[in-house]
Amino acid sequence: MITKRIIPCLDVRNGRVVKGKRFEGVRDVEDPVALAEFYNREGADELVFYDITATVEGRGLFTDVLREVARQIFIPLTVGGGINTLDDFDRVLKCGADKVSVNSGAIKNPALIEEGAKRYGNQCVVLSMDVRRVDGRFMVFSGGGRFATGIDALEWAKRGEDAGAGELVVNSIDTDGVKRGFDLEMLKAIEQRVSIPVIASGGAGCIDDFVRLFDAIPSVDAGLAASIFHYREVSIADLKRTLQQNGIPVRIQR
């Protein structure tokens, strides 16, 4: 049986981990290297590292911080932020990333997904989607949730899969940082359109939110969260024990 993954997310700005609510009101949390090392010890299954202002500032991702994070962990590392070309793929992979997350760069140039998959393999390409409800539809936003693209999220998810993305990270802007649970309606709608792994992101506030996620949508592969882990509101060990007690398969660190 395939185990469900628990994935902390490091949103990095100016070399520090930060967190906001609904992609706004961002505040400082901690040093990314120390936090990555903590999650490696705590039993996280993977780690996601986003340079959240690289695209908006029109620059490359912070590779010095990334290299140090990669040196400190022994779990898979997905990296995103300012990924616009195959050279960007190459740079972050050489810094120690296992997978590359594309978002705004793929919206500007959808061929980037296919090009990345052909060169590095489907398993290396993660399509990250920032999604918000607009007039009753799930719509994709770019630039860290700043800009409406006019792209339907359900169609974009399918296009990403067809182009070669090996995984989807679905970020709900509506529930991000609110801590009232994952956006199950949105996740169900997207999951029904694709057959590749879907990682749920945005809204986790307690252990029960993860239980509800995996109970409601058994095909979702992973739950991603930030603040509840960063602020030690939920420990990964406690979360996994509870999931296991509820019949949800997880990897328990020995």
Side-chain angles (χ1 to χ4, degrees):
M1 185 176 292
I2 297 175
T3 58
K4 303 301 184 184
R5 291 172 288 156
I6 303 302
I7 306 175
C9 177
L10 307 183
D11 290 332
V12 179
R13 183 179 70 178
N14 299 326
R16 297 281 297 178
V17 175
V18 297
K19 191 68 186 82
K21 182 183 290 186
R22 295 193 175 111
F23 287 34
E24 297 178 349
V26 173
R27 58 180 175 147
D28 184 82
V29 177
E30 196 170 332
D31 171 69
V33 178
L35 204 51
E37 191 175 16
F38 169 75
Y39 289 134
N40 186 74
R41 294 194 310 269
E42 287 295 293
D45 296 297
E46 297 186 16
L47 191 65
V48 169
F49 177 112
Y50 289 137
D51 185 338
I52 63 171
T53 57
T55 294
V56 173
E57 295 173 2
R59 58 168 173 78
L61 183 142
F62 288 123
T63 53
D64 52 346
V65 176
L66 172 57
R67 283 193 187 93
E68 192 56 33
V69 166
R71 275 197 287 265
Q72 298 300 322
I73 66 174
F74 301 95
I75 54 178
L77 174 63
T78 297
V79 176
I83 306 296
N84 297 297
T85 67
L86 289 184
D87 286 342
D88 294 326
F89 269 78
D90 196 57
R91 187 174 69 256
V92 300
L93 290 170
K94 286 178 177 175
C95 288
D98 298 284
K99 294 183 274 190
V100 180
S101 176
V102 295
N103 190 332
S104 297
I107 292 169
K108 290 182 289 187
N109 174 26
L112 180 63
I113 300 171
E114 183 176 3
E115 292 167 358
K118 284 182 176 178
R119 178 172 294 187
Y120 301 106
N122 301 67
Q123 79 290 340
C124 181
V125 182
V126 178
L127 176 59
S128 180
M129 304 167 49
D130 297 327
V131 183
R132 171 179 280 154
R133 287 168 179 77
V134 179
D135 297 328
R137 295 174 62 197
F138 299 117
M139 305 300 292
V140 175
F141 282 67
S142 66
R146 293 171 177 83
F147 309 115
T149 66
I151 299 172
D152 181 277
L154 307 186
E155 295 174 2
W156 182 234
K158 182 58 178 170
R159 284 180 63 190
E161 177 182 34
D162 291 344
E167 238 176 24
L168 286 179
V169 175
V170 183
N171 310 300
S172 173
I173 298 174
D174 295 320
T175 62
D176 178 73
V178 178
K179 298 184 180 180
R180 294 178 184 170
F182 291 97
D183 194 331
L184 300 180
E185 180 189 22
M186 182 194 72
L187 290 163
K188 284 180 182 178
I190 290 177
E191 184 275 333
Q192 289 171 358
R193 291 292 187 100
V194 300
S195 59
I196 56 177
V198 171
I199 298 170
S201 173
C206 63
I207 287 176
D208 284 346
D209 289 335
F210 286 87
V211 176
R212 282 190 286 269
L213 168 68
F214 295 125
D215 277 345
I217 318 176
S219 53
V220 163
D221 285 73
L224 181 150
S227 57
I228 62 167
F229 296 144
H230 296 346
Y231 298 124
R232 314 300 197 261
E233 295 167 15
V234 169
S235 83
I236 292 174
D238 289 345
L239 169 57
K240 287 190 171 186
R241 277 193 292 270
T242 302
L243 290 173
Q244 190 176 57
Q245 289 164 4
N246 281 269
I248 298 165
V250 290
R251 180 185 66 88
I252 301 292
Q253 193 173 45
R254 304 299 180 187

